[in-house]
Amino acid sequence: MTVLLFTLVLLAGAILAGFLGSLTGLGGAVILIPLLTLVFKVDIHYAIGTSLIAVIGTSSGAAAAYVKEGITNIRLGMFLEIATTAGAVLGSFLIVYTPANIITVIFGFVLIFSAVMTVRKKTLHIETEDKSKMAAMLRLNSSYPDKGEQIDYKIRHVPAGFFMMIGAGALSSLLGIGAGAFKVLAMDNVMRIPFKVSTTTSNFMIGVTAAAGTAAYLHRGYIDPVLTFPVVVGVLAGSIFGSRILIGSDTKKLRVVFSILISIIAIEMIYKGLKGH
Amino acid sequence: MDQKSVRAGQDKDMEQVMGNLLRYGVILAAIVASAGGIMYLVLHGGDAQPSYAIFNGEPERYKSLQGVLQGVKVFDTSSIMQLGVLLLIATPIARILFSILSFMREKDYLYVIISTIVILIIAFSLFNGLGG
């Protein structure tokens, strides 16, 4: 295959990954990593480096819009970024000592978890009682606009949420993903944040977390320009296209079908990893 | 205006600037990477595809800001692509630096400290790193 053909095929694959990733809410990376490793036979380290760069692009692009709408809780994001970036540094350390096949197995399990998270029923939490002293001290309680109204909410269990974010950050750099599903889990179920706020704030943190991971990978040589260029441009284009279509469309069926598909890929990755391939 | 709505107004400004910063950072990075990428393909499109099946690590010139800038100076197309990548990494980092400035303007020193800690963690990863 020539460089030109390779680039074009990779670009097409990345567009598809970005498109499906934004349409299903799974993110481009969970599709990109299997695509790069299973289809293009790219070593997992290059795949992780490349994917993390794409993650920075899509999350920053999306965060730009959410921040302007005033949905993102910037203080909460900044505070939790201490945990996610520290976790990312931890993950970039762990990757050195984790054999490639173990990374593949962990990736498979995370994939299944993410698939389950996208089809689960969402319950809207709006806590109005000021129960957490820490949330008040850190001024994390805020409000967000919904259908022309400003809705107040309070945040709970700050330390537990903070510790879960360390784990989410570690997974982000260990696997080259945004780990949005874990961030949302911590914010929705533990910190009791309304999901509109948790998904946008998670997205806000993803770029910074991925930047912390890639900072380490850059000087370790995980990031190759010839591989990164088509992937980043493709994922960005695909996700912009996906988010345009997303507005006003019902994606429930798509998410279910896609989650099943993703789970099959996940099982293949776990099997290959355990076989020591 | 009371104290609270002054702060809310400042937060609104911060949100607008932050949104633009992120958007233009990504656009600039994509333009630079694409410019380098297209020139690279014109020059090397017919070459055989490099293999990524075995991890060898990248050459030194792609691994640091100085290395990339040196390549850009002599118009090396891969280095221009890599510069686009560096701009993308710099985008969220610039967002934190901007937060520090706006929290300072709001005299919200707790969040100046929090944002500074995040920057220090990233700097640690960038310049030193664990197990690098």
Side-chain angles (χ1 to χ4, degrees), chain A residues 134-145:
Chain A
M134 218 172 155
M137 196 192 84
L138 290 162
R139 282 190 284 123
L140 301 176
N141 300 323
S142 184
S143 65
Y144 73 102

Side-chain angles (χ1 to χ4, degrees), chain A residues 56-76:
Chain A
I56 298 178
T58 49
S59 82
S60 300
Y66 297 139
V67 165
K68 283 184 164 189
E69 287 167 30
I71 308 169
T72 310
N73 187 331
I74 294 179
R75 283 196 172 75
L76 176 69

Side-chain angles (χ1 to χ4, degrees), chain B residues 2 5 13 44 46 48-49 92 102 128:
Chain B
D2 60 74
S5 51
D13 294 346
H44 303 283
Q49 175 223 324
S102 24
N128 190 357

Side-chain angles (χ1 to χ4, degrees), chain A residues 43 68 75 81 138 212 224, chain B residues 20 52 58 95 108 111 125:
Chain A
D43 175 86
K68 283 184 164 189
R75 283 196 172 75
E81 275 166 13
L138 290 162
D224 178 85
Chain B
N20 285 331
Y52 297 101
E58 291 299 300
R95 192 266 282 166
D108 188 343
Y111 275 86
S125 181

Side-chain angles (χ1 to χ4, degrees), chain A residues 173-219:
Chain A
S173 57
L174 184 66
L175 305 177
I177 58 174
F182 290 88
K183 292 187 172 92
V184 168
L185 179 78
M187 285 196 274
D188 277 7
N189 294 20
V190 179
M191 303 178 87
R192 317 293 278 177
I193 300 169
F195 54 73
K196 228 175 148 182
V197 178
S198 66
T199 45
T200 55
T201 306
S202 148
N203 187 73
F204 180 75
M205 295 191 287
I206 283 173
V208 169
T209 312
T214 44
Y217 295 160
L218 182 74
H219 61 73

Side-chain angles (χ1 to χ4, degrees), chain B residues 104-120:
Chain B
M104 247 180 211
R105 210 183 63 153
E106 291 184 25
K107 299 196 170 53
D108 188 343
Y109 298 115
L110 176 63
Y111 275 86
V112 172
I113 295 169
I114 287 173
S115 312
T116 308
I117 295 172
V118 177
I119 272 288
L120 290 176

Side-chain angles (χ1 to χ4, degrees), chain A residues 74-153:
Chain A
I74 294 179
R75 283 196 172 75
L76 176 69
M78 284 298 334
F79 172 67
L80 292 178
E81 275 166 13
I82 296 178
T84 62
T85 52
V89 173
L90 183 71
S92 72
F93 171 70
L94 290 176
I95 202 173
V96 179
Y97 302 99
T98 315
N101 63 317
I102 302 296
I103 296 176
T104 311
V105 172
I106 299 172
F107 193 94
F109 283 110
V110 167
L111 217 51
I112 292 173
F113 173 76
S114 304
V116 171
M117 282 289 287
T118 57
V119 291
R120 106 210 131 111
K121 233 176 135 184
K122 282 182 188 163
T123 40
L124 179 60
H125 306 287
I126 295 180
E127 297 286 333
T128 46
E129 264 181 277
D130 217 342
K131 279 192 185 160
S132 163
K133 266 190 197 151
M134 218 172 155
M137 196 192 84
L138 290 162
R139 282 190 284 123
L140 301 176
N141 300 323
S142 184
S143 65
Y144 73 102
D146 189 33
K147 299 180 187 93
E149 256 183 283
Q150 207 54 35
I151 297 167
D152 285 306
Y153 60 90

